[in-house]
C-alpha cells in the first residue's frame, strides 16, 4: 500500500506532456516499432537507450511527425501532446514541429548567418512584428543555448563557420527560438568532442527547467548523467521504462540488465 502511494506520487511529480499508446511503425512491410506505450513528462529529461537499430530514432521521429517525410513509413497508434492527438488531420505538422522541436545527430546549421539561423523559425511562424522583437528572440535563444557570448560579435557570419560544438548549440538555439514545449534530440553529442559534449549535457540539464526533453543516446553514461527517466528499447519494443537510477541499478527485465551490463548491444 505504501509502495503504491509512493509510485503514484512519483508518477504525478511532473505532468504528462506527451503520451503514446499502442504505437506501431512500419517501413514498407518491415515493422520497426511494436506496440509502444510511453509517457513523456514535462520538465524532465527522458533518455531513449538501446542497441543500434532497435528503433530509438524511429520512435523519436513519431513524436513530431518527422516520419511523415519518409515515404515508406507508416505510423499507427495514438500520440498526444497535452492530450491532443498529434496525428489528427486538423494538425499542421509544421506548427507541430514548432512546438516539438528537434536537434539532430550531426549539427546542421542552414547555410546562412548565425542570426538568420535563429531568426528563420520565428519569422515563418510570425513570432515577431518588427526587427527589435526579432533581435530580442535571437538573443534570448542564443543565451538559452549557452552560445550568446561566443556568437554575439559575429551574428552576421555564417553558422557553418563555428566549431562543431558551437554549431550544435546554434542548432539548439534555432530549435528553442520558436518557443517549443518539447525538445527532441537524436544523439546530439555523437559528433562532438568531450568538452563540447560536456557543454551540451550541461545545457540539456538547464533546458529541462522550461521544456520537456527527450534524448536518444547510445551512451549509457550519458543517459545516466543527463536524464531522470529512461526508456530501454530492444528490437522495436519498449522493454522497460522508469526512473533512470532504477533502470541502471535495478532493472526489472533481463534484456535491460544484459544491455546495461554490456552483454547485448
Ligand atoms: N528511412 C528508413 N527506411 C527503411 N527502414 C528504416 C529507415 N530508418 C530506419 N529504418 C529501419 O528501422 C529500424 C530501426 O532503425 P532506427 O530507428 O534508426 O534505430 P536506432 O535509432 O535505434 O539505431 C532498423 O531496422 C532500420 O534499418
Ligand atoms: Mg538512431
Amino acid at each position: 500500500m505504501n509502495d503504491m502511494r509512493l509510485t503514484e506520487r512519483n508518477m504525478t511529480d511532473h505532468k504528462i506532456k506527451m503520451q503514446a499508446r499502442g504505437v506501431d511503425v512500419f517501413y514498407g512491410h518491415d515493422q520497426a516499432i511494436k506496440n509502444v506505450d510511453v509517457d513523456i513528462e514535462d520538465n524532465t529529461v527522458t533518455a531513449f537507450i538501446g542497441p543500434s537499430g532497435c528503433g530509438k530514432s524511429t520512435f523519436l521521429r513519431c513524436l513530431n511527425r518527422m516520419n511523415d517525410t519518409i515515404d515508406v513509413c507508416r505510423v499507427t497508434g495514438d500520440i498526444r501532446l497535452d492530450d491532443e492527438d498529434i496525428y489528427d488531420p486538423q494538425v499542421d505538422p509544421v506548427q507541430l514541429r514548432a512546438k516539438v522541436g528537434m536537434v539532430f545527430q550531426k549539427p546542421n546549421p542552414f547555410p546562412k548567418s548565425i542570426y538568420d539561423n535563429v531568426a528563420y523559425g520565428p519569422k515563418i511562424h510570425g513570432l515577431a512584428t518588427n526587427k527589435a522583437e526579432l533581435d530580442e528572440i535571437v538573443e534570448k535563444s542564443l543565451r538559452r543555448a549557452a552560445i550568446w557570448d561566443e556568437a554575439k560579435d559575429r551574428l552576421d557570419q555564417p553558422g557553418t563557420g563555428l566549431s562543431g560544438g558551437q554549431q550544435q548549440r546554434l542548432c539548439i538555439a534555432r530549435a528553442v527560438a520558436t518557443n517549443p514545449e518539447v525538445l527532441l534530440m537524436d544523439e546530439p553529442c555523437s559528433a562532438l568532442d568531450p568538452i563540447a559534449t560536456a557543454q551540451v549535457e550541461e545545457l540539456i540539464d538547464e533546458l529541462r527547467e522550461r521544456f520537456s526533453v527527450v534524448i536518444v543516446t547510445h551512451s549509457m553514461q550519458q543517459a545516466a548523467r543527463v536524464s531522470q527517466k529512461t526508456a530501454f528499447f530492444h528490437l522495436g519494443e519498449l522493454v522497460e521504462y522508469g526512473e533512470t537510477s532504477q533502470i541502471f541499478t535495478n532493472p526489472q527485465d533481463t534484456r535491460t540488465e544484459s544491455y546495461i551490463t554490456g552483454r547485448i548491444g
Side-chain angles (χ1 to χ4, degrees), residues 9-248:
R9 198 157 59 226
N10 282 343
M11 282 164 57
T12 52
D13 261 351
H14 295 287
K15 84 170 186 167
I16 307 296
K17 191 68 191 168
M18 296 194 77
Q19 188 175 58
R21 292 294 178 266
V23 174
D24 292 321
V25 183
F26 299 85
Y27 292 107
H29 292 292
D30 298 327
Q31 186 163 8
I33 289 293
K34 298 171 189 158
N35 196 25
V36 166
D37 293 347
V38 72
D39 291 339
I40 304 295
E41 292 179 14
D42 211 0
N43 304 113
T44 299
V45 179
T46 303
F48 289 173
I49 64 168
S52 179
C54 68
K56 303 179 296 296
S57 297
T58 297
F59 186 71
L60 190 76
R61 288 195 301 263
C62 293
L63 299 176
N64 71 345
R65 292 184 50 176
M66 213 58 168
N67 287 323
D68 290 17
T69 63
I70 302 172
D71 268 349
V72 294
C73 191
R74 191 163 57 84
V75 177
T76 62
D78 188 67
I79 303 180
R80 289 173 182 268
L81 172 67
D82 290 331
D83 217 27
E84 283 187 38
D85 177 6
I86 65 168
Y87 284 84
D88 187 293
Q90 309 268 10
V91 171
D92 172 1
V94 175
Q95 294 292 341
L96 173 70
R97 289 175 204 136
K99 282 201 232 170
V100 185
M102 194 154 194
V103 174
F104 299 86
Q105 200 164 341
K106 216 171 140 270
N108 59 348
F110 302 134
K112 292 170 181 285
S113 70
I114 292 172
Y115 184 98
D116 286 340
N117 263 277
V118 184
Y120 180 80
K123 266 191 206 160
I124 57 170
H125 291 285
L127 302 183
T129 54
N130 56 46
K131 176 77 165 62
E133 272 180 29
L134 195 58
D135 288 353
E136 201 178 306
I137 294 174
V138 168
E139 177 172 344
K140 191 173 73 181
S141 305
L142 289 166
R143 283 189 189 280
R144 276 197 188 144
I147 178 120
W148 172 249
D149 288 340
E150 290 147 90
K152 66 176 190 288
D153 297 326
R154 51 193 292 193
L155 292 175
D156 56 346
Q157 290 173 32
T160 47
L162 296 166
S163 74
Q166 290 171 329
Q167 287 187 25
Q168 195 61 308
R169 280 178 285 139
L170 175 62
C171 292
I172 293 170
R174 182 176 67 189
V176 300
T178 56
N179 258 328
E181 296 163 30
V182 182
L183 264 186
L184 309 178
M185 304 179 133
D186 195 350
E187 305 203 25
C189 300
S190 66
L192 307 185
D193 64 39
I195 292 172
T197 295
Q199 286 172 328
V200 171
E201 286 184 2
E202 195 179 321
L203 174 59
I204 290 169
D205 195 54
E206 288 162 16
L207 293 171
R208 166 164 79 93
E209 288 174 20
R210 296 191 69 90
F211 309 103
S212 166
V213 180
V214 186
I215 180 173
V216 168
T217 176
H218 63 259
S219 159
M220 287 185 275
Q221 291 80 4
Q222 180 167 67
R225 282 193 299 265
V226 303
S227 73
Q228 292 77 49
K229 291 283 158 76
T230 292
F232 170 65
F233 287 80
H234 187 237
L235 299 174
E237 285 178 53
L238 198 167
V239 170
E240 191 165 346
Y241 167 82
E243 298 280 333
T244 297
S245 54
Q246 179 254 309
I247 297 280
F248 284 100

